[in-house]
Amino acid sequence: MEAQKQFSNVDRISELPDSLCHHILSFLSAIDAGGTVFLSRRWRSLWYSVPVYFFDGFFNSWSQSKFSMFFKETLICRQRYFNYLSIHKFRLRMKMSRDFDSSALHWILFALKTNVKKLFINNYGNNCPTIPSILSDAIFTARSITKLDIVCLSIEEISVSLSLPSLQKLSLSSTSISDSTLQKLLSACSVVRKVSLYSLCGLEKIKISSETLEELTISQCPDIEFFLDYAPNVKFFAFEAMRIGGNKIGISVFRKLTTLTLIDARVTDSMVANLLFQNPLLEKLVLVNCDIIEKLLIASPNLGSFSLRSCSSLVEVKIDAPNLQELEYRGEFITFSSVISSPLLEATIYLEDYSRSSLTIWYAKLKDLFEKLQYSKTLSVACFEELDLIIPGKMRKSLLPQLHALKHLKVEINKPLGDNGGKLEKGLRWMFPCLRTLDIRCYQQNFEEHYEYKEDNHQLLGGNAGISLESIQFRELIRWLFIKFRWLFIKLM
């Protein structure tokens, strides 16, 4: 009993090495980590000697003046007792007025003198103060920085020759910067791998050339022309233009591109087709609000994921992607002239056309859409109400034949089902008589139903001709072999 009591009084935390204590404190904000100085004399020295600082003036209950006082006192103690130690990461998030905060200026300059590697400066105030020249000169000539993140600040012309030989990740958000300054900055990053530019103002044209760049994100930069001149190693590229007016965009050959996202981009049918042709390694494609596209050809041998959302002028899509396993479409009815994909395809369709003014046209388009996607491993459909999916009995004869290939169907209804849950299940079973599982969900009324059907109990509820399960499987096998041999023939040619 005495030994157990003695064991429980052992201070295990104080026995931890300094490096491990520093690692624990690095996960806390400066205010929380600074509170550990009251634990003991040893913890006071630990706090002031940490290699990671995160001063957050946003998520805390302190007043601005109290936070500023804590900010200044921490710098004084760090300079007095641990001036010789390096700072690995310095993060600052505070509200600044029209002028750059003087305490922040001194802290960042001190961090740069200690060869800081990761620097984050975030101003969440309404104004966009200019970074003083003494600080901008120090930041953009720092040889130690590997990651730089600047938010809501203004970068003016820099007088010194820029050089960031170690910088690998650059992020500028809500920042004011000129074309020439941005061009100099990008040219000074000789080993940069990741660049993110979000909501920059003061720009007219962005032209990027980089041998080392691997990830590039351009988002919501108003009134600019963007040109990617030469970037042979880019694997990830995302471009989001301003919704009103859009931006002019020019893209060269990537060669190694695997992920492409275009949002609100003014790209044409031919531009998309050329991008796919020139980038055969592409694995993921996302097109959102690309309103100029009308007839889209998606021909890509390695494409595994394709998302197409709210392209208002789009009328027809042809997909020729034998390895496609994920397909998402959101919008009004369009014509899928053909869908060549992997047998493992999981397709998700969000129907946004709620005007069933003509039932004949509506259900004919619905049948045509489902017909192209019936070979999916799983088909998920989201629509407004259950009547969108229940084909009336008097129309079923004209919409024969039924679709026998689909085995797994998931349905999500926005409007409450009422008493039509059973009708919806029977209607879907008529459309897909060989279903094995059916899931129906309506989140508004917390309704969820799961149906399982035996393999030997498939019913043709309105058809006049039967088809065996074996013949369906044989047809799918022949179709898959045809796709594979077709792509092999194209490669050999």
Side-chain angles (χ1 to χ4, degrees), residues 441-449:
R441 295 183 180 89
C442 181
Y443 293 109
Q444 279 198 16
Q445 60 183 158
N446 196 26
F447 174 86
E448 184 172 346
E449 194 70 44

Side-chain angles (χ1 to χ4, degrees), residues 186 197 206-210 213 216 218 226-230:
L186 294 174
L197 307 176
I206 299 177
K207 187 176 181 180
I208 295 179
S209 296
S210 175
L213 190 62
L216 176 61
I218 311 290
F226 169 73
F227 298 95
L228 189 60
D229 188 37
Y230 179 70

